[in-house]
Amino acid sequence: MQNNTLSLSQIRGLLDPGESFRLEVHGSIDSTNNRAKALALDGVSDVTVIVADRQTAGRGRMGRSFLSPPGSGLYLSVLFRPTIAPELIAQITPFAAVAAAEVIERLSGMPVGIKWVNDLQMNGKKICGILTEAQFGASGQPDFVVLGIGINVGQREWPPELCELAGSIEELCGTCLSRNLLAAELLTALTPLFHGTLPTFLPEYRARSVLLEKPVTVWQGDGHYDGVATAIEDDGALVVTLPGGAQRILHAGEVSVRLR
Ligand code: BTN
C-alpha cells in the first residue's frame, strides 16, 4: 500500500464546508465506537466523527472482534443524536451499507455486494463491516446512535481464520484508495441521516444482496438450520424459506446467515 496517511485537514478539506462535523483523527485507539459512546455519555451533542489508523479492540456484531491493523484500513464512527422516528433506527445499518457500497464501487470501479445485514463483499470476500449501537432513553426515544464502519482498504496479510473470508479493496481490485477521500465521500453519503432524513435505499439494498435466492444456513443461539433467502422485507428483515415451505423472518439481533 502506498503512502495513505490519514489526515484531519485533508478529510475536512474534502467535506462540504457547510457541514460542521466535529472530527477527531487518532493514531491508535481501542475502538472508535467506544470513543464515540464515551463522548455521547459526556454530553457531546454535535455530530462527531472519530477516525483511527488502528484499533486495538475493534468490535463487530455478536461480540466478535474486528481486525484493525495500522496503515491499511478505515475505521470510522459517527456519533449523532437521531431525529428520525425510533422505529427507523434498525434501518440505519442497511442504509449505511448501501451508502458505503455505492461509494466504494464508484471509487474502485468494482461491484460491491451486501451480505445481510451489515457486511459488504467484493468478489465474495468481506471488505467492510458495520456496527450500529444505540442508547434509548426512558421515553423510548433514542438518546444517541453510534454508527461504526470498518473498511479493509489495503491489507494484504490475514490470520489463517480470515484468509478465505476477508479481503481488502487493494488486494481484490488493485486500486489503492485514499483513506481520506473514502472517509469524506462516506460522510457525505451518510449526511442526510444526520439531518433526520432516511432516503429511499431498500430497492438498492435488495439489488445488491448476495443472499437473495441463494441457499443459506442460519445460525441462531446454539443451533442452525438451512433454507433459501427469499426476500428482504420493508423493515429490513430477511425472509428465509425452509425446505417444507415454512418461512422464518429474521431481524438482525443475534442471527448470523451464511451462504451454503
Ligand atoms: C462486523 O463486521 O460485525 C462489524 C464491524 C464494525 C467495525 C467498525 S470499525 C469502526 C467501528 N469501531 C469498532 O470497534 N467497530 C466499528
Side-chain angles (χ1 to χ4, degrees):
M1 187 163 174
Q2 301 159 13
N3 178 22
N4 199 344
T5 308
L6 281 171
S7 149
L8 190 146
S9 60
Q10 277 197 33
I11 298 173
R12 184 156 315 280
L14 290 162
L15 289 170
D16 177 348
E19 289 297 338
S20 54
F21 298 127
R22 213 179 117 149
L23 182 58
E24 295 182 358
V25 176
H26 296 260
S28 180
I29 198 166
D30 58 351
S31 152
T32 54
N33 266 34
N34 289 356
R35 168 73 182 154
K37 269 185 177 173
L39 292 173
L41 296 171
D42 272 354
V44 169
S45 59
D46 302 334
V47 177
T48 302
V49 179
I50 318 291
V51 182
D53 182 55
R54 163 186 191 237
Q55 296 183 118
T56 54
R59 295 186 290 107
R61 275 179 77 228
M62 301 174 71
R64 297 184 184 130
S65 59
F66 187 81
L67 186 71
S68 311
S72 54
L74 179 65
Y75 317 115
L76 174 150
S77 298
V78 189
L79 159 67
F80 61 104
R81 310 269 174 186
T83 49
I84 56 172
E87 62 273 17
L88 295 182
I89 297 293
Q91 307 230 357
I92 291 175
T93 295
F95 169 73
V98 169
E102 288 178 340
V103 166
I104 295 170
E105 189 167 293
R106 179 161 43 81
L107 296 180
S108 71
M110 280 284 279
V112 177
I114 299 177
K115 181 177 157 293
W116 186 90
V117 54
N118 67 329
D119 287 354
L120 300 193
Q121 291 191 345
M122 195 179 260
N123 272 347
K125 292 204 166 182
K126 174 168 175 170
I127 54 159
C128 169
I130 299 171
L131 177 65
T132 305
E133 299 180 288
Q135 178 167 296
F136 291 83
S139 64
Q141 289 293 323
D143 281 341
F144 66 82
V145 166
V146 172
L147 169 60
I149 303 178
I151 304 178
N152 303 329
V153 181
Q155 291 93 322
R156 294 214 170 240
E157 287 172 12
W158 303 96
E161 68 277 13
L162 290 182
C163 272
E164 295 294 314
L165 301 172
S168 70
I169 298 169
E170 187 173 329
E171 206 175 38
L172 293 163
C173 72
T175 308
C176 173
L177 294 188
S178 154
R179 289 188 291 170
N180 297 317
L181 178 63
L182 199 49
E185 294 283 321
L186 202 49
L187 290 168
T188 301
L190 294 168
T191 294
L193 195 56
F194 314 137
H195 295 301
T197 314
L198 196 61
T200 305
F201 67 93
L202 270 168
E204 188 63 24
Y205 188 72
R206 292 182 179 115
R208 288 182 182 273
S209 172
V210 300
L211 295 185
L212 281 180
E213 310 307 332
K214 302 272 171 42
V216 295
T217 301
V218 178
W219 299 80
Q220 202 159 13
D222 292 337
H224 64 276
Y225 55 89
D226 291 342
V228 174
T230 43
I232 293 172
E233 307 231 294
D234 287 350
D235 65 355
L238 182 72
V239 180
V240 171
T241 303
L242 306 185
Q247 292 189 327
R248 298 271 170 90
I249 313 289
L250 306 180
H251 296 275
E254 299 293 293
V255 188
S256 150
V257 182
R258 290 192 210 142
L259 279 172
R260 271 190 278 144

